Amino acid sequence: MKADSIPFAGKKREEKKRLSMFAIFTCTSIGVALSILTTYENTKHILRLGERSLAVRIPSRQAFLGGGLRFQGISNEEKKTFPSPLEKVFNGKVILKPAFGTHRPQADAIFSFAQGYPLQDFIKFIRTLEQTGYSGDVVFSVQQYDKLNQDIIEFLSQKFERLNVIVYSISWQCFQRNGDPLEMPDDYALCKIQSDFYADKTNQTILQDPRIPRPLATARFDLYWAWVLQYNPLSMLMLIDFRDVIFQLHPFINITRSLPGSNEGVLYFYEEHFSTLIGQSAFNYGWLQGAYGRDEAEKMKEKRIICSGSTIGEQVAVESYLRAMILQFDQTNCIMKGCDQGMHNFLYHNGTLNNSTGIRDVFSVEHGKGNVLNLSVLRKKPLREWGLFTGELPVVNWDQTVAPVVHQYDRDTELNQKVHQLRNTLVEEWEKKKASSSRPISQ
């Protein structure tokens, strides 16, 4: 549905609805127009991919706002506030500290759960992001520090030209599905946070993780919530998967920002391709059924799949969303691997996020029409046949403009090979830089 035809909820007359929508989009756009022109000028014509530089078409602001947005609206109902995750921690406070790096509260930030991955993936993530001109914070969760590869520590602790990297080293207490202890967590492990996360506000005693063991993909939202507290209300944030992501343009290009002083923000969710709906995916239907039961899954079987691994929004809205996600686990105790995606889809399709404190609008962006291009569903045939990939980077959206963030690239064999070539080039550049350095890279 096009942004200029999106309906509002509530009892106001239709004319008031249209005027209100015009005000939201027009006023906010005016407030950020100059900063957007300045921030993204360097990505207007040239895309740098390793050693190659290409002239490319980038999406216009009008293209992103002109269509592809499904809107959940504003209501006159009283706002609801999701409980803080701290409510399960008696007299508790968050004390989680990074292993290295310092948050900049006024900055934008990208959060990613990066535990257990090799150096090559960190180089790919950081270097493709850095080449877009992004200059905000990047926050990673990695494994226990004494088990972290020294090359990863060296790479992440260097002084980057633009980026500010913050790294949390998290230790976990994990179990197999049969309850046996597990030294190294895997995708199917059930885990509790073992790092110093909570403490008693009065006597500073370290408190245990109050939640039952859950998959790491679910527990990462607890970490994201602790990190989000470090930023100002209107900082723009991205929650993104780590392993299967590359950046091609500034991740927040054309994202509308709220006016200064606003106490509410916008959330953007990103859909999978509409050729597969929830009811046609055994995984997505199963995650909803596992968390909420068959009746709720049936209600949503005709809905589009929304990816839980790619979300953008302002801090005040993302904080409220993360409260809601953690609450979903507290209410369902769903420990299926992938249940976080069921919860994510439930929050949107069930309207749970409507009229929530801190959230002004929630948009679900149609596949291939926004900042994140999810590719999982398109594995039915080669990406070339969909017209989104020519055999050479960049990958494009449906209107043939460059997709700023490509997620799940490894679902296509040819694209996966091309990204691996790019990754190898970036790794070689890093190794040459290390070899040519006359002294250790400073922190």
Side-chain angles (χ1 to χ4, degrees):
M1 185 181 297
K2 292 187 181 295
D4 59 5
S5 63
I6 297 170
F8 279 78
K11 302 177 181 179
K12 293 185 178 181
R13 291 174 297 148
E14 291 300 315
E15 182 59 23
K16 277 194 173 182
K17 295 177 186 177
R18 286 193 292 272
L19 289 173
S20 298
M21 178 59 74
F22 177 81
I24 288 171
F25 280 96
T26 304
C27 292
T28 308
S29 299
I30 291 172
V32 297
L34 290 177
S35 64
I36 284 180
L37 287 173
T38 301
T39 303
Y40 304 123
E41 185 177 6
N42 65 327
T43 63
K44 189 173 182 182
H45 299 295
I46 302 299
L47 175 65
R48 294 178 179 82
L49 298 165
E51 297 177 343
R52 291 196 306 134
S53 296
L54 299 176
V56 296
R57 290 181 62 211
I58 68 170
S60 68
R61 185 176 184 78
Q62 207 167 20
F64 277 8
L65 290 182
L69 298 175
R70 252 171 286 287
F71 181 60
Q72 286 217 330
I74 301 170
S75 170
N76 291 326
E77 297 176 19
E78 184 178 349
K79 292 277 188 177
K80 61 177 178 286
T81 300
F82 298 111
S84 166
L86 282 171
E87 290 196 8
K88 286 182 72 80
V89 187
F90 177 73
N91 199 39
K93 64 179 181 179
V94 175
I95 60 167
L96 186 67
K97 301 294 183 185
F100 54 84
T102 303
H103 295 274
R104 299 175 299 177
Q106 76 285 359
D108 295 336
I110 295 172
F111 298 169
S112 194
F113 186 83
Q115 176 149 346
Y117 293 107
L119 173 64
Q120 298 96 308
D121 287 337
F122 286 94
I123 293 174
K124 167 178 60 70
F125 190 103
I126 288 285
R127 291 295 293 131
T128 62
L129 176 59
E130 196 173 31
Q131 291 175 11
T132 69
Y134 175 78
S135 58
D137 286 2
V138 184
V139 190
F140 292 125
S141 170
V142 299
Q143 59 264 46
Q144 201 169 318
Y145 199 79
D146 60 1
K147 296 180 180 178
L148 192 60
N149 186 294
Q150 185 61 38
D151 286 343
I152 295 176
I153 296 174
E154 183 178 3
F155 176 73
L156 292 178
S157 60
Q158 69 176 293
K159 184 175 178 59
F160 292 95
E161 182 179 352
R162 296 188 182 93
L163 307 181
N164 179 52
V165 176
I166 301 101
V167 176
Y168 285 81
S169 175
I170 305 297
S171 58
W172 302 88
Q173 182 185 23
C174 296
F175 305 90
Q176 299 180 39
R177 294 279 163 162
N178 63 6
D180 291 343
L182 192 62
E183 184 175 349
M184 291 296 292
D186 56 28
D187 287 347
Y188 294 92
L190 300 177
C191 302
K192 291 171 69 74
I193 299 170
Q194 202 169 32
S195 296
D196 294 348
F197 195 107
Y198 299 112
D200 188 286
K201 287 191 289 188
T202 304
N203 58 27
Q204 312 306 314
T205 303
I206 302 301
L207 301 175
Q208 302 267 327
D209 180 354
R211 293 178 171 83
I212 65 171
R214 61 262 193 219
L216 291 176
T218 300
R220 63 179 166 164
F221 289 92
D222 295 64
L223 302 179
Y224 290 167
W225 178 75
W227 300 347
V228 84
L229 303 178
Q230 304 297 320
Y231 292 92
N232 292 344
L234 297 184
S235 292
M236 193 64 71
L237 306 178
M238 170 181 278
L239 317 179
I240 192 73
D241 284 351
F242 178 77
R243 179 188 58 80
D244 53 359
V245 165
I246 59 169
F247 299 90
Q248 301 189 124
L249 292 176
H250 195 294
F252 301 137
I253 187 172
N254 296 320
I255 292 288
T256 301
R257 295 173 184 260
S258 298
L259 292 174
S262 176
N263 61 0
E264 293 181 319
V266 179
L267 283 175
Y268 295 90
F269 295 160
Y270 292 89
E271 297 177 2
E272 301 280 2
H273 192 258
F274 58 81
S275 60
T276 299
L277 303 177
I278 286 174
Q280 297 169 311
S281 166
F283 287 114
N284 283 275
Y285 185 92
W287 295 328
L288 276 166
Q289 183 175 359
Y292 301 102
R294 181 179 177 83
D295 289 347
E296 289 296 335
E298 281 293 304
K299 291 177 188 176
M300 298 182 191
K301 67 179 182 181
E302 300 300 323
K303 303 291 187 181
R304 298 190 183 192
I305 299 168
I306 304 172
C307 179
S308 63
S310 52
T311 295
I312 292 177
E314 287 156 312
Q315 186 271 356
V316 65
V318 173
E319 196 271 341
S320 186
Y321 158 73
L322 291 171
R323 287 181 178 222
M325 281 292 286
I326 295 169
L327 179 63
Q328 298 312 296
F329 177 73
D330 290 343
Q331 292 177 337
T332 66
N333 285 331
C334 183
I335 59 172
M336 295 172 64
K337 176 181 179 290
C339 225
D340 60 293
Q341 180 139 313
M343 298 169 188
H344 183 76
N345 277 267
F346 180 85
L347 286 178
Y348 181 79
H349 291 307
N350 194 49
T352 306
L353 296 173
N354 292 356
N355 309 312
S356 301
T357 302
I359 300 176
R360 184 176 70 247
D361 305 326
V362 185
F363 294 103
S364 183
V365 184
E366 276 188 54
H367 180 268
K369 295 186 177 181
N371 287 60
V372 182
L373 178 64
N374 296 311
L375 296 177
S376 180
V377 167
L378 298 185
R379 71 177 84 191
K380 298 173 183 177
K381 61 183 181 181
L383 203 55
R384 273 181 183 262
E385 296 183 23
W386 291 103
L388 303 181
F389 179 58
T390 64
E392 295 290 342
L393 295 171
V395 181
V396 297
N397 278 326
W398 294 110
D399 65 357
Q400 300 303 298
T401 59
V402 176
V405 183
V406 180
H407 180 213
Q408 303 161 334
Y409 64 77
D410 61 342
R411 275 53 162 192
D412 181 82
T413 300
E414 187 179 21
L415 176 57
N416 190 40
Q417 292 172 348
K418 185 59 63 177
V419 172
H420 278 195
Q421 291 174 13
L422 172 61
R423 184 188 71 176
N424 292 341
T425 297
L426 296 174
V427 169
E428 288 174 8
E429 289 176 358
W430 163 245
E431 290 174 344
K432 288 178 182 177
K433 179 180 177 181
K434 281 180 59 180
S436 64
S437 177
S438 58
R439 63 185 186 280
I441 296 174
S442 60
Q443 292 194 14

